[in-house]
Amino acid sequence: MKTWTSPFLASAALAGLATVAASEAADHGSHWNLMSDAYARVGEILKSEEGTTAVKRLNEELSALKEACDKLEVKSQNAPCHEDVRRLLSIATFNADPNDPNRNKTFPTHIPDFVSPEMREVMVNWTPNWLTSSWEGYPDPTDYGAWQSLHDELIDPMEAAGKQLLKTYNLSTEEREIGGVRTVIISPSENRHPGKILIHAHGGAFYGNTPETTFDRTAPLANHMGIDIASVDYKLMPAPDWDILDQRDQVIAVFDALTGEGGGYKPENVGIYGCSAGGGLVAMATNAMSHRGGALPGAAVMQSPQTDFSFNSDSTWTLRYDDPRTNVDHLIDSVWPMLGITEEKAQDPRYSTVYDNFEGRDFPPTMVQTGSKEIQMSDGIRMYGVLRSAGHEAILDVHDAMQHCFHGHSETPESAEAVRRVAVFLEEHLGSE
């Protein structure tokens, strides 16, 4: 049974839950630094206390948070910092009972009863990077070396996990240059679709990941369908002479090479898919190919796609502090400036695909897949809407309570079902061999 928490204690805690003393606020360069210390302190208290005692200690020891937030030099960070006060109050009250199996100890989020035990374990143990004690915020938007270092720190463990997946599914890989772009071909032990292939655009906010770090997005589908997948190693941002549209064009170059002279594939036998930034690149690439006319992929799958860089989608704001995978403030403060996203680009349909007019031109059958616990949900819903309104074939596949790119957790039933639905869609719409 969950420990009862006095509403009066909880209300008192709201006056200033969770950070260092206000006198120390000046030592923090940003609200991210301040809050990382605060979350570490909350964790220490919750390990040693529980119930109303824990809430009382939090109130006594961390009462200066709101004042500390107000003293941050960058005033645009005051409101997000105050919102974290609310979040920390939730952590204190939700986690006062250490035996509650349905609460994430660092990121309070509702986990419905129907979520599988396997996915529940993922959600309960997920720790957003911006809530760890070592988090100091993203690098300066123009510090290319720092962004590269941040990316490199994540590569080894992700590649190791990916290699294990390849062994689990008995898949092989081959590095190949296609259309002048490095790709990694993931092949099943038994190819049941020898005349077909899928193009994969990986996620990573346009600055992170490689084909080798995203085998969790390719291995399960290659195994389930028995099909080759060409994962595109597009050039990453940031770069002073590079643009997201160049990444888009590299995805198109792979499609053109596969379907051109000597490529070996008919356009209708080539599918294209990706999640997050990859889903956005799929939207941009198929839209550009539609505008130019001629050959199109047989089918497209956009998973959790970024289709509006202007942040005009509803879930961007309604789920702003409830998405365990993506933080809007980080995107606004650091990632978008690093990517070179200006106000003009954010409204340009070459980038923000939902703003284009899709009437009177061909477009491949499209599946939009998303979870209901992510800020990109509305981006996907809107993309589905504009395609359907223009008379194109499109389906919307929303998975309740699922987080951003949830299909990558191959050990869970929810991921397996998402992969199965993608496979069914692609097998129905790719051409005959």
Side-chain angles (χ1 to χ4, degrees):
M1 179 179 297
K2 186 170 178 62
T3 304
W4 178 78
T5 302
S6 165
F8 296 101
L9 281 173
S11 297
L14 181 59
L17 249 180
T19 194
V20 293
S23 61
E24 297 180 33
D27 296 333
H28 296 84
S30 72
H31 121 254
W32 308 118
N33 298 37
L34 188 153
M35 295 310 298
S36 66
D37 286 348
Y39 273 88
R41 182 61 186 143
V42 167
E44 293 173 2
I45 292 174
L46 291 177
K47 286 179 181 178
S48 59
E49 304 288 350
E50 62 182 75
T52 56
T53 303
V55 177
K56 183 178 180 180
R57 280 199 61 198
L58 287 164
N59 184 50
E60 291 173 347
E61 298 187 30
L62 307 173
S63 61
L65 176 61
K66 291 179 73 174
E67 181 181 352
C69 289
D70 290 334
K71 290 186 176 182
L72 290 171
E73 292 184 6
V74 181
K75 297 306 178 184
S76 63
Q77 295 181 356
N78 296 156
C81 189
H82 278 283
E83 180 60 29
D84 279 337
V85 175
R86 182 186 69 81
R87 297 206 62 79
L88 283 167
L89 173 62
S90 298
I91 290 175
T93 55
F94 286 165
N95 294 287
D97 180 0
N99 298 314
D100 184 347
N102 297 321
R103 296 293 177 187
N104 183 306
K105 304 304 179 185
T106 58
F107 192 91
T109 182
H110 178 63
I111 306 175
D113 291 341
F114 61 78
V115 173
S116 72
E118 295 86 353
M119 184 61 81
R120 185 180 304 277
E121 183 176 0
V122 171
M123 298 172 77
V124 167
N125 291 292
W126 176 261
T127 301
N129 64 318
W130 63 90
L131 300 184
T132 60
S133 60
S134 61
W135 177 252
E136 296 182 355
Y138 282 115
D140 181 274
T142 61
D143 190 344
Y144 303 127
W147 282 94
Q148 183 64 54
S149 297
L150 175 65
H151 178 253
D152 291 346
E153 289 174 7
L154 306 175
I155 292 297
D156 289 343
M158 296 175 69
E159 286 190 353
K163 290 178 181 178
Q164 183 57 50
L165 267 182
L166 296 178
K167 292 181 180 179
T168 298
Y169 292 118
N170 192 24
L171 302 170
S172 61
T173 61
E174 176 189 356
E175 183 177 332
R176 189 185 305 172
E177 185 173 292
I178 302 177
V181 183
R182 179 183 179 270
T183 64
V184 174
I185 309 297
I186 300 96
S187 299
S189 56
E190 178 187 357
N191 191 333
R192 299 192 297 275
H193 300 284
K196 302 177 183 179
I197 193 169
L198 304 180
I199 296 173
H200 172 247
H202 66 75
F206 305 95
Y207 78 89
N209 285 325
T210 66
E212 288 86 353
T213 64
T214 50
F215 286 142
D216 58 342
R217 316 297 164 82
T218 52
L221 185 59
N223 175 70
H224 186 91
M225 287 186 67
I227 193 170
D228 285 348
I229 297 178
S231 190
V232 183
D233 192 16
Y234 55 84
K235 184 177 179 180
L236 299 174
M237 298 292 284
D241 57 347
W242 198 250
D243 186 85
I244 293 176
L245 294 186
D246 296 307
Q247 297 176 325
R248 174 205 68 182
D249 291 345
Q250 287 193 311
V251 175
I252 295 174
V254 172
F255 172 79
D256 288 345
L258 288 172
T259 59
E261 185 176 354
Y265 296 93
K266 299 177 182 178
E268 61 269 25
N269 286 343
V270 179
I272 183 172
Y273 80 103
C275 184
S276 190
L281 288 173
V282 169
M284 291 181 228
T286 50
N287 191 33
M289 288 188 277
S290 172
H291 272 298
R292 75 180 184 182
L296 289 172
V301 178
M302 305 172 189
Q303 297 168 306
S304 307
Q306 180 72 51
T307 64
D308 184 359
F309 287 94
S310 71
F311 288 131
N312 197 37
S313 291
D314 184 58
S315 62
T316 302
W317 304 105
T318 58
L319 297 177
R320 182 176 184 177
Y321 298 106
D322 295 289
D323 182 344
R325 297 293 299 271
T326 311
N327 187 292
V328 175
D329 300 303
H330 288 165
L331 298 178
I332 293 173
D333 292 344
S334 301
V335 180
W336 265 214
M338 177 273 294
L339 296 177
I341 299 296
T342 61
E343 184 176 347
E344 290 75 20
K345 285 183 178 180
Q347 298 293 328
D348 187 333
R350 294 177 301 168
Y351 297 85
S352 296
T353 322
V354 292
Y355 291 122
D356 214 340
N357 181 357
F358 291 87
E359 296 182 358
R361 53 190 173 97
D362 293 332
F363 203 86
T366 300
M367 177 185 198
V368 178
Q369 188 177 72
T370 184
S372 69
K373 200 185 287 292
E374 58 173 312
I375 62 171
Q376 282 91 344
M377 176 177 65
S378 291
D379 273 27
I381 292 173
R382 291 172 64 203
M383 189 68 205
Y384 159 78
V386 296
L387 291 175
R388 285 296 301 270
S389 295
H392 299 295
E393 182 177 356
I395 65 171
L396 178 64
D397 185 40
V398 180
H399 294 246
D400 193 31
M402 292 297 101
Q403 65 271 31
H404 190 58
C405 295
F406 68 96
H407 65 282
H409 298 287
S410 59
E411 71 279 12
T412 68
E414 288 85 353
S415 173
E417 175 61 16
V419 170
R420 185 193 69 80
R421 294 186 193 181
V422 169
V424 168
F425 176 80
L426 291 171
E427 288 177 335
E428 286 180 350
H429 290 88
L430 296 185
S432 62
E433 296 174 6

